[in-house]
Amino acid sequence: MRNQVTLKDIAAILGVSASTVSKSLNDSHEISQETKNNVLRVARSLNYVPNDIARSLKSSATKRIGVILPTIESDFFAKIIRAIEDEATKRNYKILISLSNDTIEKEKEAVSILLNGSVDGIIISLSQETQDSQEYSHLKNFSERRLPVVMFDRVCHEIECDKITIDDFEATREATLHLYEKGCKNICFLSTISQTSVGQLRKEGYIRALEELNKESENLIIEIPNYDQFNPILKKYLKEHNIDAIITSDQLSAICTLKIVQENGFNIPNDISVIGFTDGTIPKYTIPSLSIINQNEGQMGKQAFDTLISRIENMNAEVPKEFTHEILKTDFIKRQSSL
Amino acid sequence: MRNQVTLKDIAAILGVSASTVSKSLNDSHEISQETKNNVLRVARSLNYVPNDIARSLKSSATKRIGVILPTIESDFFAKIIRAIEDEATKRNYKILISLSNDTIEKEKEAVSILLNGSVDGIIISLSQETQDSQEYSHLKNFSERRLPVVMFDRVCHEIECDKITIDDFEATREATLHLYEKGCKNICFLSTISQTSVGQLRKEGYIRALEELNKESENLIIEIPNYDQFNPILKKYLKEHNIDAIITSDQLSAICTLKIVQENGFNIPNDISVIGFTDGTIPKYTIPSLSIINQNEGQMGKQAFDTLISRIENMNAEVPKEFTHEILKTDFIKRQSSL
DNA sequence: ATGAAAGCGCTAACAG
DNA sequence: CTGTTAGCGCTTTCAT
């Protein structure tokens, strides 16, 4: 930048060469202790900070990773970022965040920009539009460029890379069976994310559970395209159907469900049980407190970062590692909203 | 990165020089249309993307800005990031995010790393620890390096730079007076962020309102150091004091307050009114829905970014602009939780 | 133990 | 209209 102190400046002051300064700062054994001390002293006094950009250009390693997310205004993704950032800081990496706002256009843009050498690797969760349209061409560039990528949560099979998800299918399947055992006979699945892989899997898990219970013909599925229509759709559904449990596709829709169900005169959990996804402070403080499927975002974010880094560091290995798909365990946290 | 296609590659294929390619891609008038076409064709076929790092090194402009935040797991900061990212994308900037987790140590680290030429400017909201300890030395480096900085929300007077806040003082002052007019006589201020400038100002606004009402001796202030102690502290307070309204310092504490107040047998708003900060989907779906002071995060984030960019672009101006402190208007959104 | 020189990829002044 | 050259700040042989 403007007033950057450079190696040259330090070199000039001490009357040595830039390379001597460079080596001193990197504590090379080639340099005498005395020179090292001098360099260090001057560097500190000038508040010298090495220029990362120049280093990156030289080494073609940026020590930065790109993170592309559909949104950040969600407990789930916020926790993921926090976990990635935590881990990145420990390992001396910086994170560059791009938000796709669930559009394929912004996702493509983010991808193409990050492809320009700004980052050593990418962690991505696909936009709704991408998953809906199944257009993955923009993601193919990564492998061509040999830029490591890790997908998490919203992944696709069409692209070969490391992947991390929870077992979305199992999570709702188990939740459904659990509710059934507790006595719920008319279990409903409510989704605001039907266009995502995650939403699909959660729906399928629910349907599988019904099949196992020989109730597949009785599936009760509510799909809500956006939050403006949440209230009218759910309200109508409650009127027209006999329901005693609702599994929702995510945290926010569970919170909305809690309110609407009660507004319509039902007691939770006596009349209707409600289960959501993603833990946090808020599920503890809803009325009633919310039973949820904990996705262990901390572990997921850490895992995504670690996988990416080991891929980056193995980039030049003779034998490329096989791509992995890590499926993390969820756990169920029972609170007041479910039987 | 590894398989980067470079200008050289294109040049070699076409048998021209790298600078010709560079100029062609930048649509320089010096180059014939024919050559430009050829270059473009080859560039596209190779999937060429210019290397940002090299460009930055050359131009000493990175087209990146750093964003340092206390946390991301908060509706307020998430919305701010969204707004900054939106604006940044429009203007062709990328954002580099660092989280201080409210510690001064991580904040210092972030600052020193961003000082190394990785970004053209910085947007920061101070960590709790920084504001508590009043140690700002690490922030002085910015001006020395002439790296533009914009502070928002949690700011300090000791550092000269552009600042953006809402009128925290006025917001609680008005909310207090508003509640008083509605008939609340024992208005309480509950804060989980007493160690921040924002928390202080909100408290002072509340106190000022009491003074104006000649009730300053009756101030009812609840300070909660962390969420583990939320329930016990508030519960005890409710037992020992006669309260008919609570203004909380932020969104999350309002949500917690809603629950605890009702659990202890009070009706909201008939017995006790509750007002929080920061709008979003959740305040609409709490039970009862939450009256809030809207901080217009979208505008705040945009403003922060725009201010930073105009500062960056005016870096080389003869007459440096005066630093500004923009104070944004809030608005009150009344829902069911307050009279 | 130190320094000179080359080069990472790109741009821009200057020549031709 | 195109090419040569130099240089952004740093690292890294290779000489000395």
Side-chain angles (χ1 to χ4, degrees):
Chain A
M1 288 277 65
R2 336 275 158 186
N3 282 12
Q4 272 263 44
V5 180
T6 72
L7 287 183
K8 262 192 189 166
D9 299 326
I10 301 177
I13 290 176
L14 290 166
V16 298
S17 77
S19 56
T20 302
V21 176
S22 168
K23 286 171 186 165
S24 300
L25 292 171
N26 293 321
D27 202 20
S28 159
H29 52 268
E30 295 181 10
I31 305 293
S32 73
Q33 197 53 51
E34 196 194 337
T35 309
K36 279 185 194 173
N37 292 148
N38 289 335
V39 168
L40 235 63
R41 194 172 31 72
V42 175
R44 244 191 292 260
S45 77
L46 294 183
N47 243 311
Y48 170 79
V49 190
N51 183 318
D52 243 16
I53 303 270
R55 257 192 191 162
S56 298
L57 184 58
K58 181 75 189 158
S59 64
S60 73
T62 63
K63 286 282 186 179
R64 281 195 286 264
I65 62 161
V67 180
I68 304 178
L69 301 174
T71 174
I72 201 175
E73 291 164 76
S74 119
D75 235 27
F76 175 74
F77 287 114
K79 282 177 203 288
I80 292 282
I81 293 183
R82 153 82 120 102
I84 294 176
E85 211 272 348
D86 258 19
E87 204 58 19
T89 304
K90 276 185 210 148
R91 307 273 228 111
N92 246 303
Y93 276 78
K94 300 300 295 174
I95 63 172
L96 242 147
I97 291 189
S98 289
L99 305 176
S100 65
N101 292 336
D102 268 322
T103 68
I104 196 167
E105 191 198 330
K106 276 208 71 184
E107 188 176 283
K108 280 184 180 172
E109 202 187 317
V111 163
S112 96
I113 292 174
L114 291 178
L115 225 40
N116 66 5
S118 304
V119 294
D120 296 340
I122 285 182
I123 296 177
I124 187 172
S125 186
L126 299 177
S127 83
Q128 201 161 298
E129 237 181 64
T130 304
Q131 295 207 311
D132 204 25
S133 68
Q134 307 203 24
E135 192 194 318
Y136 307 116
S137 54
H138 57 298
L139 301 167
K140 301 228 166 86
N141 294 322
F142 290 129
S143 38
E144 277 172 25
R145 283 286 151 71
R146 309 213 316 125
L147 188 68
V149 179
V150 172
M151 278 189 195
F152 75 94
D153 191 55
R154 303 198 195 161
V155 304
C156 69
H157 299 307
E158 288 78 357
I159 300 291
E160 296 206 330
C161 66
D162 294 306
K163 288 157 200 165
I164 325 255
T165 58
I166 59 159
D167 196 337
D168 293 290
F169 180 92
E170 237 354 74
T172 42
R173 181 181 155 272
E174 279 172 15
T176 308
L177 295 176
H178 167 84
L179 286 169
Y180 185 82
E181 277 167 28
K182 292 287 179 180
C184 299
K185 299 303 167 209
N186 300 297
I187 302 166
C188 172
F189 177 71
L190 180 152
S191 176
T192 51
I193 50 170
S194 301
Q195 301 95 319
T196 67
S197 57
V198 170
Q200 279 307 312
L201 287 168
R202 290 179 189 172
K203 179 161 72 178
E204 286 163 18
Y206 159 77
I207 292 174
R208 165 66 59 85
L210 293 188
E211 285 168 8
E212 291 173 17
L213 299 167
N214 287 313
K215 291 167 66 71
E216 65 264 44
S217 60
E218 302 169 34
N219 79 68
L220 298 162
I221 295 176
I222 310 178
E223 302 197 315
I224 295 178
N226 66 64
Y227 280 86
D228 290 337
Q229 297 177 60
F230 207 114
N231 197 335
I233 292 180
L234 180 51
K235 191 170 176 174
K236 184 155 177 283
Y237 206 91
L238 288 169
K239 268 217 185 80
E240 298 175 354
H241 296 77
N242 189 20
I243 291 171
D244 56 16
I246 304 179
I247 297 171
T248 71
S249 59
D250 60 287
Q251 192 197 74
L252 188 54
S253 58
I255 292 168
C256 298
T257 298
L258 284 184
K259 179 169 179 108
I260 295 169
V261 165
Q262 291 180 91
E263 271 181 355
N264 284 278
F266 298 96
N267 177 281
I268 299 177
N270 294 337
D271 301 328
I272 298 181
S273 286
V274 176
I275 292 178
F277 272 84
T278 310
D279 202 17
T281 304
I282 292 181
K284 298 186 186 111
Y285 284 93
T286 51
I287 299 174
S289 63
L290 188 60
S291 296
I292 53 95
I293 293 158
N294 181 10
Q295 304 193 68
N296 296 308
E297 300 78 17
Q299 200 197 337
M300 192 157 175
K302 180 178 184 323
Q303 191 83 244
F305 182 84
D306 290 346
T307 305
L308 183 63
I309 294 304
S310 78
R311 184 64 67 180
I312 289 171
E313 289 174 352
N314 273 273
M315 231 16 220
N316 307 314
E318 341 64 69
V319 192
K321 282 190 301 187
E322 291 264 321
F323 289 119
T324 60
H325 181 170
E326 183 106 21
I327 297 178
L328 303 177
K329 279 302 296 169
T330 56
D331 44 292
F332 180 63
I333 299 181
K334 197 187 161 317
R335 298 212 178 87
Q336 300 161 349
S337 72
S338 72
L339 290 174
Chain B
M1 287 274 66
R2 337 276 159 186
N3 282 12
Q4 272 266 42
V5 180
T6 71
L7 287 183
K8 262 193 191 166
D9 300 327
I10 301 178
I13 290 177
L14 289 167
V16 297
S17 76
S19 60
T20 299
V21 176
S22 167
K23 286 172 186 165
S24 299
L25 291 171
N26 292 321
D27 202 19
S28 158
H29 52 269
E30 295 181 11
I31 305 292
S32 74
Q33 197 52 51
E34 196 195 335
T35 310
K36 280 185 195 173
N37 292 147
N38 289 334
V39 168
L40 233 64
R41 192 171 35 73
V42 175
R44 245 192 291 262
S45 78
L46 294 182
N47 244 313
Y48 170 78
V49 189
N51 183 317
D52 244 15
I53 303 270
R55 261 193 189 157
S56 298
L57 184 58
K58 181 76 188 155
S59 64
S60 72
T62 63
K63 286 283 185 177
R64 281 195 284 263
I65 62 161
V67 180
I68 305 177
L69 301 174
T71 174
I72 201 177
E73 291 165 76
S74 120
D75 235 28
F76 175 74
F77 287 114
K79 281 178 205 288
I80 291 282
I81 293 183
R82 152 83 119 102
I84 293 176
E85 212 271 348
D86 257 19
E87 205 58 20
T89 304
K90 276 186 210 150
R91 308 272 230 112
N92 246 303
Y93 276 78
K94 299 301 295 174
I95 63 172
L96 243 148
I97 292 189
S98 289
L99 305 177
S100 65
N101 291 338
D102 269 322
T103 68
I104 196 166
E105 190 197 331
K106 275 208 71 185
E107 187 175 284
K108 280 183 180 173
E109 202 184 318
V111 164
S112 95
I113 291 174
L114 291 179
L115 225 39
N116 67 6
S118 301
V119 294
D120 296 339
I122 285 181
I123 296 177
I124 187 171
S125 186
L126 300 176
S127 83
Q128 201 161 299
E129 237 182 65
T130 304
Q131 295 207 312
D132 204 25
S133 67
Q134 306 203 24
E135 192 193 318
Y136 307 115
S137 54
H138 56 298
L139 301 167
K140 301 230 166 82
N141 294 323
F142 290 129
S143 39
E144 277 171 27
R145 283 285 151 76
R146 309 214 317 124
L147 188 68
V149 179
V150 172
M151 278 187 193
F152 76 93
D153 192 55
R154 303 197 194 161
V155 303
C156 70
H157 300 307
E158 287 79 357
I159 300 292
E160 296 206 329
C161 67
D162 294 304
K163 286 156 200 165
I164 325 256
T165 59
I166 58 159
D167 196 338
D168 293 290
F169 181 91
E170 239 350 76
T172 42
R173 181 181 155 273
E174 280 173 13
T176 309
L177 295 177
H178 166 86
L179 287 170
Y180 186 80
E181 277 168 27
K182 294 285 180 180
C184 298
K185 299 304 167 208
N186 301 297
I187 303 165
C188 173
F189 178 72
L190 179 153
S191 178
T192 51
I193 50 170
S194 301
Q195 301 95 316
T196 67
S197 57
V198 169
Q200 279 307 311
L201 287 169
R202 291 179 189 172
K203 178 160 73 179
E204 286 163 19
Y206 159 77
I207 292 175
R208 165 66 60 83
L210 295 188
E211 284 168 10
E212 290 174 17
L213 299 168
N214 287 313
K215 291 166 66 73
E216 65 263 43
S217 62
E218 302 168 35
N219 80 65
L220 298 163
I221 295 175
I222 311 177
E223 300 194 318
I224 296 178
N226 67 63
Y227 279 88
D228 289 337
Q229 295 177 61
F230 206 113
N231 198 336
I233 291 180
L234 179 52
K235 191 170 176 173
K236 184 155 178 283
Y237 206 91
L238 288 169
K239 268 216 183 81
E240 297 174 355
H241 298 76
N242 189 20
I243 290 172
D244 56 17
I246 303 178
I247 297 171
T248 71
S249 59
D250 60 287
Q251 191 197 77
L252 188 54
S253 58
I255 293 168
C256 299
T257 298
L258 284 184
K259 179 169 180 108
I260 295 169
V261 165
Q262 293 180 91
E263 270 180 356
N264 284 277
F266 299 96
N267 177 280
I268 298 178
N270 294 336
D271 300 330
I272 297 181
S273 287
V274 176
I275 292 178
F277 272 85
T278 310
D279 202 17
T281 303
I282 293 180
K284 297 186 186 112
Y285 284 91
T286 51
I287 299 175
S289 63
L290 188 59
S291 297
I292 54 93
I293 292 159
N294 180 10
Q295 305 191 71
N296 296 308
E297 301 80 16
Q299 201 198 338
M300 193 157 175
K302 180 178 185 324
Q303 192 82 247
F305 182 83
D306 290 346
T307 306
L308 183 64
I309 294 304
S310 76
R311 183 64 68 181
I312 289 171
E313 290 176 350
N314 272 272
M315 233 14 221
N316 306 315
E318 339 66 68
V319 192
K321 280 190 303 188
E322 292 264 318
F323 289 121
T324 59
H325 182 170
E326 184 105 20
I327 298 179
L328 303 177
K329 280 300 298 167
T330 56
D331 45 292
F332 180 64
I333 300 181
K334 198 188 160 315
R335 298 210 179 89
Q336 300 162 348
S337 73
S338 71
L339 290 174

